[in-house]
Amino acid sequence: MCRTDTHRMSAEDVAERIRSMEIRGAAEIARRAALALREEAEAYEGNDLEGLRSHLERAKELLLASRPTAISLWNGVQYVFKDTSKATTAEEYRSKVRENAEHFVKRSQSALRTIGRLGANRVREGDRVLTHCNSKAAIAVMAEAWAQGKRFEVYATESRPWRQGLLTANDLARLGIPVTMIVDSAVRYVMKDMDLVLVGADTIASNGALINKIGTAQVALAAHEARVSFTVCAETFKFSPRTIYGELVKIEERDPTEVVKEGEVPPQVKVFNPVFDATPPEYIDSIVTEIGVIPPYAAYQVIIKELGQEFIFHEE
Ligand code: RUB
């Protein structure tokens, strides 16, 4: 059933909207998934603890299957279930889920504000900043620097195939920040004139590698070659406890029709549409998180310290 308040939607609705990219951006999908679990717990009728538990487990699986790459989704869902095994009644369980979901969203929103403040220190008067795709964290940094009175301009990549760069250009234009759009393949051409690259993250692995929108690795390579600082803006929920086990980050592949429409090429032409890629830590200058600006090599410590052992070893 579709509920109208966007923050009061069922897990099924939210999972579908995440799959279809109506809800997108790694932090946003995590927050919306957490709220969908709260909604499922509240909408469940009855006081049968085991029934509620399995209802929520099903909702959790549905949400986790909606998009595979952003670890923030997995971290958010795990967070919602923190300490729920201790509940002895359905009401206790429900209120723990509610409390965790709301706490997760609050923490994530507050992280975004802190990242904006810390990251703004990296933007200097007169800079040319390049950004890729549409990251709320990277935009928070630019918005804060602009609000502090710094004057700079932004180059935003189109970000094929979904063209999320249009969202970025609109967001920045609304704030009054001068923005120039370029196609993804113009990145190396313009890089020599840039002072800073700011991107977001879907996942940061324990070795400091960044998984973000396809094309990010090429942007990083061009920045490295031109000695332009490549800075990632990411809350600690983007760090992956699962990579500590040696698990590889799954790179989502989406439908070929997002790249070429049916009939545009003959059927024997294969289309490959990976939507994220991995940037090695040696191309990353720093990661702006809510606990400070850190080198990519601090990723392991962030996972252990911020996400916690019991969180890492959470039973699935
Ligand atoms: C969005 C993308 C963003 C990160 C970070 O990909 O790669 O850079 O998710 O975004 P998609 P945020 O459009 O496929 O979701 O900083 O908003 O979490």
Side-chain angles (χ1 to χ4, degrees), residues 21 24-28 67 132-138 164 200-202 212-213 233 238 275-276:
M21 308 239 316
R24 48 151 301 283
E28 182 65 8
R67 281 195 90 182
H132 184 54
C133 194
N134 178 252
S135 155
K136 296 223 168 42
Q164 293 96 328
D202 275 73
N212 192 50
K213 180 54 54 187
C233 310
K238 304 285 186 68
V275 297
F276 297 100

Side-chain angles (χ1 to χ4, degrees), residues 70-90:
I71 196 67
S72 46
L73 173 61
W74 188 84
N75 278 335
V77 165
Q78 301 302 315
Y79 197 96
V80 170
F81 286 94
K82 240 172 89 167
D83 294 333
T84 50
S85 57
K86 295 180 192 148
T88 54
T89 65

Side-chain angles (χ1 to χ4, degrees), residues 7-11 14-15 18 23 26-42 56 59-60 63-64 72-81 96-106 108 237:
H7 290 92
R8 291 261 164 216
M9 285 191 314
S10 70
V14 170
I18 292 174
I23 298 172
E28 182 65 8
I29 64 179
R31 290 191 290 260
R32 296 293 291 273
L35 291 175
L37 289 168
R38 177 193 68 178
E39 177 61 10
E40 289 295 340
E42 284 177 350
L56 268 271
K60 164 182 151 178
L63 288 161
L64 286 178
S72 46
L73 173 61
W74 188 84
N75 278 335
V77 165
Q78 301 302 315
Y79 197 96
V80 170
F81 286 94
K96 198 73 215 162
V97 165
R98 187 188 306 124
E99 185 190 313
N100 287 343
E102 287 168 6
H103 191 238
F104 176 79
V105 172
K106 240 172 113 179
S108 169
F237 285 125

Side-chain angles (χ1 to χ4, degrees), residues 110-120 137 141 233-235 288-290:
S110 133
L112 191 63
R113 288 190 292 274
T114 308
I115 288 168
R117 275 203 309 280
L118 300 183
V141 167
C233 310
E235 62 195 79
V288 184
T289 75
E290 75 276 23

